[in-house]
């Protein structure tokens, strides 16, 4: 099944259907009234009638109650994004490299890496920034070698 059409598009279709006086309104007739290719209109209306592209004799006016019910549904609100993690430069500067971060956060007594250690989102963001910093540093070194 196709994705949901926008409410503005369905409103446009409903207005066009109400403007047409004929009892039977085909997909081609509706597409001429709206000014959209029949294939594009059919793909958008497949949400309401899956066979609309296969059967040209389908009466689009019969779909009018479905369109109106769809327009009555409230618009789903988007979920608010979680605020971005803030990391202080001093905290980032406390780790000289990726290895230093791993040593401080993921090692146990004796310097062995603890495979069961879990990092918080804050720690992962610090690690991501350290990795980005390392990539930039390596690109600068690589450019210096190619220029010689």
């Amino acid at each position: 099944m196709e994705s949901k059409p926008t409410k503005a598009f369905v409103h446009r279709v409903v207005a066009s259907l109400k403007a047409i006086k004929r009892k039977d309104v085909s997909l081609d007739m509706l597409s001429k009234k709206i000014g959209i290719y029949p294939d594009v209109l059919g793909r958008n209306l497949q949400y309401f009638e899956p066979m609309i592209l296969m059967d040209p004799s389908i009466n689009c006016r019969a779909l009018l109650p479905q369109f109106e019910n769809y327009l009555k549904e409230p618009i789903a609100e988007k979920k608010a994004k979680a605020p971005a993690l803030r990391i202080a430069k001093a905290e980032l500067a406390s780790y000289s490299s990726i290895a230093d971060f791993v040593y401080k956060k993921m090692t146990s007594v004796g310097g062995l890496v603890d495979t069961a250690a879990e990092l918080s989102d804050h720690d992962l963001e610090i690690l991501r920034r350290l990795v980005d910093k390392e990539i930039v540093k390596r690109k600068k070194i690589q450019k210096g070698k190619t220029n010689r």
Side-chain angles (χ1 to χ4, degrees):
M1 189 180 296
E2 291 292 316
S3 63
K4 288 186 172 187
T6 62
K7 296 229 182 217
F9 178 79
V10 175
H11 185 33
R12 192 168 150 192
V13 170
V14 168
S16 297
L17 278 173
K18 289 182 178 179
I20 298 173
K21 302 291 184 205
R22 295 187 65 168
K23 189 175 184 180
D24 293 328
V25 180
S26 67
L27 183 65
D28 289 333
M29 188 182 306
L30 185 60
S31 71
K32 286 179 186 174
K33 178 71 177 174
I34 294 176
I36 298 176
Y37 288 114
D39 295 338
V40 175
L41 179 62
R43 270 189 259 121
N44 283 316
L45 296 182
Q46 275 183 333
Y47 176 77
F48 302 102
E49 176 61 54
M51 296 297 292
I52 199 157
L53 287 174
M54 302 286 187
D55 187 7
S57 65
I58 290 177
N59 183 8
C60 292
R61 190 175 293 283
L63 302 174
L64 194 59
Q66 290 179 13
F67 297 151
E68 289 172 344
N69 286 338
Y70 181 75
L71 289 175
K72 287 179 186 175
E73 293 175 8
I75 297 174
E77 293 183 21
K78 294 181 181 177
K79 293 181 181 178
K81 282 186 173 180
L85 295 173
R86 306 237 184 248
I87 298 174
K89 288 184 180 181
E91 187 178 1
L92 195 58
S94 67
Y95 303 106
S96 60
S97 65
I98 299 169
D100 185 36
F101 176 84
V102 171
Y103 184 76
K104 288 180 180 177
K105 290 284 185 176
M106 300 179 69
T107 55
S108 61
V109 178
L112 297 174
V113 175
D114 184 10
T115 57
E118 290 190 23
L119 297 174
S120 66
D121 290 341
H122 186 74
D123 291 339
L124 287 173
E125 182 66 21
I126 292 171
L127 182 61
R128 186 186 66 79
R129 290 200 185 169
L130 288 170
V131 168
D132 290 344
K133 195 164 99 174
E134 182 71 23
I135 289 171
V136 168
K137 190 186 328 178
R138 288 184 182 197
K139 282 184 181 179
K140 284 182 181 176
I141 292 170
Q142 190 67 21
K143 277 187 178 180
K145 287 182 180 179
T146 57
N147 290 342
R148 290 183 184 179

